[in-house]
Amino acid sequence: MLGLRVPATPEVARAVRLTYGFQFFFGLLLWIPIFYEYQKQLGLSDAEIFGIQSIYYIAFCLMEIPTGMVADRFDYRTSLWLGASVLVVANMVPVFAGNYTGFLIHFLLIALARSLISGAQSAYLYEYLNAHNAGHLYLKVEGVGRSYSLVGKIVYWPVIGLLMQWNMPSPYWLTAINAAIAVVLALKLPPIPGWERPAGKTSKLLAGVGGAFGALRKSRWLLLLMIQGIAMFTLVRILQVNLFQPVLESKHVSVNWYGSVLAAMTIFEAVAAARPHWLSKKIGPAKSVFLLTVVMALSIGFVVPSGGVVTIVLLCLFSVTAGMSFPIQKKLLNDAIPDSRYRATLLSMESIMDRAVCAVVAVALGAYLAGGRLNEFLVLSSAVTVILMALLAGLLIAVRTTRRRRAQLVP
């Protein structure tokens, strides 16, 4: 169901398999369904929990450009194995330091690990496939890779609550083991044919920032695509990580069911992630991301008047749209990047925008939850997203029209 027929070229097939494996094990954060409850049991307040989340997003923003520059300068594969190594350490911290300081360090290391791979992973896959004249496979490979990264969660998440009751830190131990496997797979990734480390000293590395910003200034289309991705990413991140448990708690769903509900959502997300081309071929990639983001926003809004069962259905609908939108957005961005020398840095810039908005939203979310106004937050998030997406759609149409007119004027 989730497979992909890759070309007969052994090098491409091997690289794709290793990429799938890396995404699978790096993304297998088994503590996600229970970390909110876990920290509450250890004595952390809502303000402390969401305060850490806000710091996490800010740290991610600060680390994104430096790690993107390192990936562009010193090889994407280096960033991947370094990121996975940091993830191993990050997941051992809560085991030995189950307090506010321990969880703060844990999430700061998670931010570093994810920033190291956020731009590098997509950049490696895109450049490697194009170097082998297989760039047309990128959308499918990206989507299938994301779906594989979700499969393990479907298996493990339903039993995470029971594992925590048996041994509280076991989800963190298991996640550390998964990250260690990701390190091994990253070290086995083949080099990109023709890629050479740019010559020069540190000043050349810093000059890469100017080059990336210069490319961004020249392409309003790329900038608008990045902004479009902010709404999608923020909705997904805030709902699936920060809001998922409070929403189920407000619907009086037992914590023992959290893992099962999240696993059900993940099944829908995995299936949709493997088939992003269905919608993209019919209405185009930019329109697809716009439509899917609006559906996500409406799903969140309709959670408010719904009961427990309908809420779970809406969460699954949300997951379908999320699964399909991520690969399409990544291909949109990669195709729009005008200079491949700054690919990882530019992809990291999008992540900075995403996490910066998430940091603000996480602070606001903590205040709304502390005041018992979860429903108000859900309705506000839904309405604001729909309005902003409508405005952004108008800007995208205007920029696309201008580009076409300029192309027609060129002899």
Side-chain angles (χ1 to χ4, degrees):
M1 177 181 65
L2 300 177
L4 173 69
R5 292 181 180 180
V6 297
T9 309
E11 293 85 359
V12 172
R14 180 172 179 268
V16 168
R17 286 195 299 270
L18 288 170
T19 301
Y20 287 165
F22 178 84
Q23 288 181 265
F24 178 88
F25 287 103
F26 185 91
L28 208 54
L29 306 179
L30 301 180
W31 43 263
I32 285 180
I34 51 85
F35 84 93
Y36 176 76
E37 184 65 27
Y38 186 91
Q39 291 178 68
K40 288 185 73 173
Q41 288 188 21
L42 291 176
L44 275 70
S45 66
D46 279 341
E48 289 176 323
I49 293 171
F50 288 102
I52 289 175
Q53 290 296 295
S54 182
I55 294 171
Y56 161 79
Y57 291 125
I58 293 171
F60 205 123
C61 292
L62 295 175
M63 296 173 186
E64 273 287 7
I65 287 184
T67 54
M69 290 190 304
V70 167
D72 282 327
R73 174 76 175 175
F74 297 106
D75 189 3
Y76 304 133
R77 297 174 301 158
T78 301
S79 285
L80 295 180
W81 73 257
L82 280 175
S85 300
V86 173
L87 189 63
V88 174
V89 178
N91 285 285
M92 295 307 300
V93 174
V95 175
F96 300 103
N99 50 39
Y100 177 85
T101 302
F103 279 106
L104 178 59
I105 295 172
H106 164 70
F107 274 102
L108 288 175
L109 290 174
I110 292 288
L112 176 58
R114 298 191 72 84
S115 67
L116 281 165
I117 70 104
S118 66
Q121 179 178 300
S122 181
Y124 171 81
L125 182 60
Y126 191 87
E127 292 290 343
Y128 189 89
L129 290 176
N130 277 289
H132 283 84
N133 298 316
H136 61 284
L137 291 173
Y138 174 77
L139 179 58
K140 287 186 178 180
V141 172
E142 186 72 67
V144 173
R146 180 170 174 78
S147 68
Y148 275 128
S149 72
L150 299 169
V151 168
K153 300 171 185 177
I154 297 169
V155 175
Y156 286 104
W157 276 351
V159 298
I160 285 301
L162 297 175
L163 281 174
M164 190 179 77
Q165 292 178 7
W166 168 67
N167 183 277
M168 278 193 68
S170 59
Y172 292 93
W173 277 106
L174 290 172
T175 303
I177 293 172
N178 294 328
I181 297 173
V183 173
V184 175
L185 293 173
L187 290 170
K188 291 178 179 249
L189 285 170
I192 298 172
W195 187 91
E196 294 182 2
R197 178 177 296 181
K201 299 181 180 180
T202 306
S203 58
K204 295 288 186 180
L205 174 62
L206 298 178
V209 181
F213 275 108
L216 194 57
R217 282 196 305 270
K218 294 177 183 177
S219 178
R220 286 182 293 175
W221 178 252
L222 175 59
L223 178 60
L224 289 175
L225 289 178
M226 288 182 174
I227 295 172
Q228 178 177 251
I230 292 173
M232 176 198 70
F233 180 88
T234 303
L235 287 176
V236 172
R237 180 71 188 183
I238 292 297
L239 179 68
Q240 292 186 343
V241 177
N242 302 108
L243 269 180
F244 169 75
Q245 295 170 64
V247 165
L248 292 185
E249 187 179 51
S250 71
K251 304 298 179 181
H252 309 292
V253 177
S254 170
V255 68
N256 292 332
W257 287 97
Y258 286 11
S260 298
V261 173
L262 199 52
M265 292 169 59
T266 308
I267 291 173
F268 285 98
E269 185 175 353
V271 172
R275 293 164 174 82
H277 52 285
W278 282 3
L279 185 61
S280 182
K281 285 183 178 180
K282 291 181 179 179
I283 65 175
K287 291 180 181 178
S288 296
V289 175
F290 169 79
L291 177 61
L292 292 168
T293 304
V294 170
V295 173
M296 280 189 251
L298 293 177
S299 299
I300 289 178
F302 282 112
V303 162
V304 174
S306 303
V309 175
V310 177
T311 294
I312 293 173
V313 172
L314 289 170
L315 292 177
C316 290
L317 173 62
F318 182 96
S319 296
V320 169
T321 55
M324 195 172 292
S325 60
F326 268 100
I328 299 175
Q329 174 68 9
K330 283 190 176 182
K331 188 175 190 305
L332 268 173
L333 288 177
N334 273 298
D335 287 345
I337 290 173
D339 193 332
S340 62
R341 291 177 299 172
Y342 312 118
R343 186 173 302 280
T345 304
L346 286 166
L347 291 173
S348 293
M349 285 180 178
E350 190 219 11
S351 293
I352 289 176
M353 297 178 188
D354 295 339
R355 268 67 180 196
V357 174
C358 283
V360 175
V361 174
V363 172
L365 174 58
Y368 273 86
L369 287 178
R373 296 183 294 160
L374 174 60
N375 288 343
E376 183 180 339
F377 181 86
L378 293 173
V379 172
L380 183 62
S381 299
S382 178
V384 169
T385 301
V386 172
I387 293 171
L388 290 178
M389 290 302 294
L391 294 173
L392 185 60
L395 291 173
L396 284 168
I397 292 172
V399 170
R400 177 177 286 175
T401 302
T402 302
R403 290 172 66 192
R404 286 176 179 172
R405 287 176 180 172
R406 288 177 178 174
Q408 291 173 354
L409 293 174
V410 176

